[in-house]
């Protein structure tokens, strides 16, 4: 039984690991030469409700990736405006660590293999065509191609290609596989009703910052500087995908996090203005390279799905990560990817897919996002354990806790401890 | 099979073209009437970005420029070769598979623009060679030119299924040629051989004792054989069918370039596909072209899936065009 995963970002890696654990042969098709996609420039784990979600997944037996990100952490339990107990993994070492883990499990990966079309048999996908015409056949498929870019979207809905880590000009554009299979994509909106949203952080080369900033970052993981009053731009917050970081504090202050790069918690920042700030005189962008001008545009390509992560209208296609909804973040991608990987294997052997229980945050977010996406209000929001509306909901429903024993107990009460460890075939 | 959709101008100096301004781009859904990226064939650049950055305007189109005729050679009563001295840049751009230009006599109206395939582009002396058969008013007008001629180019869609020829490396290719259509096959053979391929040419004698391209193929190092493909009833003669079959087995050709009329393409592709389904086909483009920019529609053909293709600019897989009658 062969599972083919299109896209090797966090969601695709999580889906691959879970499908393999469930007993399938697994192949990842990755467009670029790196796994993890945006995870190569991310790094924030366990902040706010993500702590609960990570521990729920560990208790459910799907802690593989969280163990790697924990092991690669540069900083643990740090606070920054609006956020508590964040762990920051080191972006300079995370990808090879995940890649080795994937290879050690016996998962195949084709790099520089861009999926461009499908071969269909009625409402089922028979195979995926790569850019060079090669047909990759499989029994069940999981699309984790994300919703970011490519360049036409970034210029039409943003400020142009910012030369981000996805490197569309080098490796070719993302293609929506669900769309090629005949299912129209959903598009996220901004507050003003325009489509898409801009990625919410850019990264500076840490060595280009002053010694004082570097020392503070290395020691504490966080550095906060004041934005000159004339440069405060509150409107920029509305463009952001990461509503959990779209706080007033992030417009009036520069918040840097140490992920190996100095992660600057704003979509983009004009270089000449940035260099006016003390300690930033030599600042240089690491990602996107044109972070002085723009950032990537996201949420223009979501597949309609059910709560088992199956794409509606296609018999054997599942989805996860940003492809599956208005989710933000690695944790959210790993959660949805894991469920998609598990259900892909279940359905391929004739079992019904499962939903995660709503008494856990990881189940509730999948169901809640899906119901909200149908509303005009909901399509303008983003869904993350880390903030914005969903973290408030977690608190209201009593889902948020940092008590690991309590989380284990919740999972045990559901008789779901180590649920994802069980082999299906 | 993967859908074969390509615009020969995509990603070149002439992209985005005026089709983008009319939301008629062949490749980019953003430059059609859709709102999101769903790129049909990535060629290394984003025409949407180029279009927006160019102030929502297309790039400058090709224009006629005046060049000197170096030599006119009479090959037959109705056949002549023009050697034209062009700029270094144009010679270089025309040194590609499927290159063609529009030619016009100075003073003639636009309707006399004649699409003409490049047989050779000498990039050292910047001389392009074109063979013209006199068939109507446009080619009669070209016969009248003396020392100057107007040239508009470069265009590249003179051969369809180019991808198969360009991707061929260290293998072998069969060219089946007849009449004036053999001219673009000479340039194609040159380019294919640059990639370490061997080229075998079966050349129909037609009405002459031998095709005018024979020596040119030989000079390139191709193996060339004179044949008369068809018997009186228009079928591939038994002797030639046996030759082709023998060559296919012996050489294991991956690509066959058919250089004749559309009737010739149909005959050859049907016959060879019947012998070996794995062979890909390239064909000389015989569509009637007036504008070369995908605008006027005179070159439009319909493929096996019922899709309309503007063949002056858009590439197709010849087996999806010339096999449809057989498959039906």
């Amino acid at each position: 039984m062969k599972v083919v995963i299109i896209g090797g970002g966090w969601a695709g890696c999580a889906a691959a690991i879970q499908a393999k654990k469930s007993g399938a042969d697994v192949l990842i098709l990755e467009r670029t030469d790196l796994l993890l996609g945006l995870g190569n420039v991310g790094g924030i784990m366990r902040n706010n409700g993500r702590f609960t979600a990570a521990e729920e997944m560990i208790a459910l037996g799907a802690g593989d990736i969280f163990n790697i990100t924990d092991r690669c952490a540069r900083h643990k339990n740090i606070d920054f405006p609006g956020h508590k107990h964040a762990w920051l993994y080191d972006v300079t070492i995370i990808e090879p660590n995940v890649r080795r883990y994937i290879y050690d499990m016996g998962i195949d990966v084709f790099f520089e293999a861009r999926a461009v079309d499908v071969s269909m048999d009625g409402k089922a996908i028979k195979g995926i065509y790569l850019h060079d015409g090669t047909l990759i056949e499989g029994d069940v498929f999981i699309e984790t191609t994300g919703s970011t870019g490519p360049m036409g979207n970034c210029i039409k809905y943003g400020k142009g290609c910012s030369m981000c880590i996805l490197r569309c000009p080098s490796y070719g554009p993302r293609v929506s596989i669900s769309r090629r299979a005949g299912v129209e994509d959903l598009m996220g909106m901004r507050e003003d009703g325009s489509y898409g949203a801009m990625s919410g952080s850019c990264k500076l080369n840490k060595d280009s910052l002053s010694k004082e900033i570097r020392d503070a970052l290395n020691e504490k993981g966080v550095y906060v500087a004041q934005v000159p009053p004339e440069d405060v731009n509150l409107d920029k917050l509305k463009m952001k995908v990461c509503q959990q970081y779209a706080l007033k504090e992030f417009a009036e202050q520069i918040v840097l996090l140490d992920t190996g790069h100095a992660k600057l918690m704003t979509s983009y920042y004009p270089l000449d203005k940035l260099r006016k700030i003390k300690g930033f005189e030599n600042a240089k962008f690491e990602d996107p390279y044109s972070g002085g001008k723009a950032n990537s545009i996201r949420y223009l390509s979501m597949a309609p799905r059910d709560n088992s992560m199956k794409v509606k209208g296609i018999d054997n296609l599942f989805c996860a990560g940003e492809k599956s909804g208005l989710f933000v973040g690695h944790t959210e991608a790993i959660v949805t990817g894991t469920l998609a990987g598990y259900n892909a294997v279940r359905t391929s052997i004739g079992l019904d897919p499962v939903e995660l229980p709503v008494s856990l945050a990881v189940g509730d977010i999948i169901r809640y996002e899906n119901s909200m996406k149908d509303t005009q209000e909901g399509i303008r929001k983003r869904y993350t354990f880390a903030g914005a509306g969903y973290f408030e909901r977690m608190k209201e429903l009593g889902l948020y806790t940092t008590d690991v024993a309590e989380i284990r107990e919740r999972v045990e009460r559901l008789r779901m401890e180590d649920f994802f460890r069980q082999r299906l075939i | 099979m993967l859908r074969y959709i390509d615009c020969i101008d995509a990603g070149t100096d002439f992209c985005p073209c005026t089709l983008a301004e009319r939301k008629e781009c062949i490749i980019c859904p953003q430059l059609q009437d859709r709102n999101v990226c769903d790129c049909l064939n990535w060629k290394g650049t984003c025409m949407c970005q180029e279009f927006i950055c160019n102030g929502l305007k297309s790039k400058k189109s090709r224009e006629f420029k005046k060049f000197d005729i170096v030599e006119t050679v009479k090959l037959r009563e109705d056949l002549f070769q023009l050697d034209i001295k062009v700029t270094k840049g144009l010679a270089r751009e025309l040194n590609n598979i499927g290159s063609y230009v529009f030619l016009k006599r100075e003073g003639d109206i636009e309707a006399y623009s004649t699409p003409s395939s490049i047989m050779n582009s000498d990039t050292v002396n910047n001389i392009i060679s074109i063979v013209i058969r006199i068939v109507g008013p446009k080619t009669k007008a070209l016969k009248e030119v003396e020392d100057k001629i107007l040239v508009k180019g470069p265009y590249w869609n003179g051969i369809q299924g180019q991808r198969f020829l360009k991707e061929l490396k260290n293998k072998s290719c069969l060219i089946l040629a007849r009449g004036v259509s053999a001219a673009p096959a000479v340039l194609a053979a040159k380019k294919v051989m640059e990639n370490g391929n061997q080229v075998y040419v079966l050349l129909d004698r037609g009405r002459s004792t031998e095709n005018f391209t024979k020596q040119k193929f030989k000079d390139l190092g191709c193996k060339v054989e004179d044949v008369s493909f068809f018997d009186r009833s228009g079928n591939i003669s038994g002797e030639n069918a046996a030759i082709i079959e023998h060559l296919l087995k012996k050489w294991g050709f991956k690509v066959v370039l058919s250089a004749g009329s559309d009737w010739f393409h149909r005959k050859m592709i049907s016959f060879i596909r019947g012998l070996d389904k794995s062979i890909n086909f390239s064909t000389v483009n015989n569509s009637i072209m007036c504008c070369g920019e995908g605008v006027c529609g005179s070159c439009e053909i319909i493929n096996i899936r019922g899709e309309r293709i503007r063949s002056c600019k858009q590439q197709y897989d010849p087996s999806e065009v010339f096999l449809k009658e057989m498959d039906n």
Side-chain angles (χ1 to χ4, degrees):
Chain A
M1 210 284 296
K2 184 176 174 188
V3 178
V4 178
I5 293 160
I6 308 112
W10 272 129
C13 287
I17 289 169
Q18 186 52 47
K20 189 73 190 177
K21 280 164 74 175
S22 299
D25 291 329
V26 181
L27 170 65
I28 300 175
L29 303 176
E30 167 52 39
R31 189 175 59 86
T32 73
D33 58 354
L34 288 172
L35 291 174
L36 302 191
L38 293 162
N40 285 295
V41 290
I44 307 177
M45 305 293 289
R46 291 180 176 272
N47 51 330
N48 294 349
R50 282 179 183 156
F51 188 96
T52 315
E55 289 299 335
E56 284 177 355
M57 292 306 280
I58 292 168
L60 286 164
D64 308 58
I65 289 177
F66 296 104
N67 292 336
I68 302 173
T69 55
D70 284 353
R71 203 173 66 230
C72 294
R74 288 179 73 88
H75 301 279
K76 298 178 181 177
N77 274 319
I78 64 163
D79 296 344
F80 59 94
H83 294 259
K84 297 254 183 246
H85 50 73
W87 292 40
L88 306 178
Y89 69 68
D90 188 337
V91 296
T92 64
I93 60 168
I94 190 72
E95 197 272 347
N97 273 280
V98 174
R99 189 187 291 217
R100 276 194 287 274
Y101 192 81
I102 295 254
Y103 280 150
D104 287 348
M105 286 184 82
I107 295 167
D108 289 327
V109 188
F110 288 178
F111 286 101
E112 298 186 44
R114 190 166 67 92
V116 298
D117 211 345
V118 291
S119 169
M120 297 293 288
D121 181 8
K123 288 196 165 178
I125 296 178
K126 268 194 340 191
I128 300 286
Y129 283 111
L130 302 184
H131 62 286
D132 62 359
T134 310
L135 180 66
I136 306 286
E137 292 183 306
D139 298 298
V140 59
F141 300 83
I142 304 173
E143 185 178 5
T144 49
T145 54
S147 67
T148 308
M151 291 192 288
N153 285 339
C154 289
I155 190 155
K156 189 154 180 179
Y157 300 100
K159 293 161 74 73
C161 173
S162 57
M163 301 180 71
C164 74
I165 187 72
L166 295 180
R167 297 167 293 164
C168 304
S170 306
Y171 294 101
R174 161 186 70 74
V175 170
S176 169
I177 294 302
S178 52
R179 187 177 212 294
R180 288 286 157 92
V183 175
E184 203 61 37
D185 282 326
L186 305 172
M187 291 165 77
M189 278 182 171
R190 299 176 217 190
E191 267 183 45
D192 63 3
S194 59
Y195 289 107
M198 193 175 271
S199 291
S201 75
C202 43
K203 295 95 217 160
L204 298 171
N205 183 312
K206 216 160 71 170
D207 290 335
S208 72
L209 303 172
S210 70
K211 184 170 183 308
E212 184 201 343
I213 297 177
R214 285 202 312 271
D215 289 347
L217 285 174
N218 288 337
E219 196 184 319
K220 298 181 200 143
V222 187
Y223 180 84
V224 179
Q226 293 302 312
V227 173
E230 70 273 19
D231 289 342
V232 173
N233 182 357
L234 290 171
D235 284 343
K236 208 159 73 173
L237 297 176
K238 292 181 191 157
M239 295 173 73
K240 275 179 87 156
V241 33
C242 308
Q243 291 176 345
Q244 75 273 29
Y245 307 126
L247 307 170
K248 197 158 164 275
E249 292 95 310
F250 288 86
E252 292 170 344
Q253 296 171 333
I254 282 188
V255 180
L256 290 182
L257 301 179
D258 176 27
T259 60
H261 300 149
K263 191 175 177 75
L264 175 55
M265 303 303 285
T266 184
S267 295
Y268 60 94
Y269 207 112
L271 192 65
D272 55 342
K273 288 187 178 171
L274 187 63
R275 287 184 173 176
K276 286 198 304 197
I277 301 164
K278 186 168 179 291
F280 291 75
E281 292 83 358
N282 302 318
K284 186 173 170 292
F285 282 98
E286 195 74 44
D287 171 81
Y289 264 138
S290 308
K293 179 194 167 196
N295 211 322
S296 54
I297 295 294
R298 297 157 78 165
Y299 301 108
L300 292 170
S301 178
M302 298 176 294
R305 62 164 174 92
D306 64 21
N307 294 328
S308 76
M309 308 312 292
K310 196 184 85 64
V311 175
K312 290 179 182 171
I314 305 171
D315 293 343
N316 61 344
L317 181 65
F318 287 79
C319 63
E322 281 183 22
K323 181 72 203 182
S324 68
L326 295 154
F327 297 114
V328 190
H330 312 326
T331 306
E332 294 73 3
I334 295 163
V335 168
T336 51
T338 301
L339 183 60
Y342 180 76
N343 279 329
V345 179
R346 272 188 79 92
T347 54
S348 72
I349 55 171
L351 299 175
D352 286 336
V354 299
E355 296 180 16
L356 291 175
V358 291
S359 54
L360 298 177
V362 292
D364 183 64
I365 199 171
I366 290 172
R367 178 180 279 258
Y368 182 69
E369 189 276 343
N370 218 15
S371 62
M372 289 300 285
K373 206 161 44 189
D374 288 338
T375 66
Q376 278 301 304
E377 178 203 354
I379 200 90
R380 288 170 161 81
K381 297 212 180 306
R382 309 289 170 258
Y383 302 87
T384 165
F385 305 111
Y390 189 74
F391 183 44
E392 289 308 311
R393 178 181 164 87
M394 277 180 78
K395 287 192 271 192
E396 281 163 23
L397 295 176
L399 292 170
Y400 170 58
T401 174
T402 54
D403 181 343
V404 177
E406 160 71 17
I407 294 168
R408 289 209 75 87
E409 216 171 281
R410 287 179 191 176
V411 171
E412 280 165 17
R413 275 204 297 276
L414 291 161
R415 307 211 180 291
M416 287 185 76
E417 62 270 30
D418 289 340
F419 177 79
F420 285 115
R421 274 193 215 282
Q422 294 160 23
R423 254 183 104 94
L424 295 170
I425 43 176
Chain B
M1 232 175 103
L2 180 64
R3 283 180 299 166
Y4 187 104
I5 297 170
D6 197 4
C7 170
I8 202 74
D9 287 339
T12 70
D13 287 351
F14 306 102
C15 172
C17 68
T18 60
L19 294 180
E21 293 180 2
R22 308 287 181 276
K23 295 267 179 193
E24 288 279 342
C25 180
I26 291 162
I27 299 291
C28 172
Q30 300 262 24
L31 298 176
Q32 296 165 2
D33 262 333
R34 283 156 51 189
N35 287 321
V36 286
C37 286
D38 188 20
C39 208
L40 293 170
N41 184 1
W42 173 248
K43 300 283 285 284
T45 63
C46 172
M47 50 277 276
C48 178
Q49 162 134 340
E50 296 267 332
F51 186 67
I52 292 173
C53 291
N54 203 36
L56 303 178
K57 289 201 167 45
S58 63
K59 299 263 182 74
K60 198 163 179 285
S61 300
R62 296 133 169 128
E63 287 173 345
F64 274 110
K65 288 192 180 116
K66 197 173 8 178
F67 293 106
D68 292 334
I69 294 176
V70 184
E71 197 178 1
T72 306
V73 185
K74 183 178 170 185
L75 300 170
R76 209 171 62 188
E77 208 45 52
D78 60 343
L79 206 63
F80 65 101
Q81 177 179 333
L82 283 179
D83 287 353
I84 305 166
K85 176 99 177 167
V86 296
T87 60
K88 193 152 207 68
L90 187 56
R92 194 176 54 231
E93 297 271 31
L94 290 171
N95 187 29
N96 281 303
I97 291 174
S99 292
Y100 71 97
V101 292
F102 281 89
L103 298 179
K104 194 162 76 77
R105 206 177 66 112
E106 217 178 346
D108 279 345
I109 58 172
E110 189 69 30
Y112 278 85
S113 292
T114 313
S116 313
S117 283
I118 305 298
M119 179 168 66
N120 187 37
S121 180
D122 171 352
T123 53
V124 176
N125 301 303
N126 309 328
I127 291 171
I128 56 171
S129 301
I130 293 165
V131 175
I132 293 158
R133 186 158 82 97
I134 301 166
V135 288
K138 294 206 275 191
T139 42
K140 278 182 182 166
L142 290 178
K143 188 75 176 71
E144 293 165 16
V145 293
E146 289 171 357
D147 55 341
K148 302 274 183 197
I149 191 162
L150 297 177
V151 179
K152 184 167 70 166
Y155 296 87
W156 297 290
N157 221 30
I159 288 179
Q160 290 289 354
Q162 286 187 20
R163 195 183 85 189
F164 304 126
L165 292 171
K166 287 176 177 169
E167 287 173 358
L168 202 65
K169 291 205 167 65
N170 303 317
K171 295 203 170 63
S172 57
C173 167
L174 175 65
I175 295 177
L176 306 171
R178 189 180 202 229
V180 73
S181 299
V186 174
L187 178 55
K190 176 173 129 186
K191 300 306 287 182
V192 164
M193 291 179 84
E194 284 175 5
N195 280 332
N197 299 296
Q198 289 184 299
V199 175
Y200 204 107
V201 189
L202 290 181
L203 210 46
D204 197 290
R205 294 185 192 89
R207 279 177 285 157
S208 317
T209 49
E210 62 179 40
N211 187 284
F212 65 94
T213 55
K214 184 176 178 183
Q215 194 54 45
K216 300 184 191 311
F217 281 119
K218 281 190 147 183
D219 292 346
L220 288 171
C222 305
K223 291 196 189 312
V224 189
E225 208 169 316
D226 291 314
V227 293
S228 294
F229 281 117
F230 302 104
D231 58 25
R232 282 170 174 246
S233 54
N235 294 317
I236 300 171
S237 68
E239 182 196 347
N240 285 306
I243 291 176
I244 294 173
E245 196 169 352
H246 168 71
L247 288 175
L248 291 184
K249 278 195 188 132
K250 188 179 170 194
W251 286 63
F253 299 114
K254 299 291 173 207
V255 184
V256 171
L257 168 60
S258 172
S261 64
D262 285 356
W263 176 83
F264 182 89
H265 295 335
R266 273 187 208 104
K267 286 276 177 193
M268 291 302 175
I269 293 175
S270 300
F271 175 66
I272 292 171
R273 188 48 71 89
L275 296 173
D276 184 345
K277 292 210 172 350
S278 71
I279 292 177
N280 288 311
F281 296 94
S282 299
T283 49
V284 167
N285 188 349
N286 296 309
S287 297
I288 293 169
M289 295 178 197
C290 290
C291 72
E293 303 288 349
V295 176
C296 74
S298 65
C299 64
E300 193 170 271
I301 56 122
I302 297 175
N303 73 4
I304 204 161
R305 290 190 292 272
E307 294 159 347
R308 291 174 180 279
I309 293 171
R310 285 162 272 183
S311 67
C312 68
K313 201 173 172 74
Q314 193 172 347
Q315 281 276 299
Y316 54 72
D317 179 346
S319 61
E320 292 186 353
V321 170
F322 295 107
L323 273 181
K324 62 184 169 188
E325 286 159 15
M326 187 184 81
D327 288 352
N328 289 340

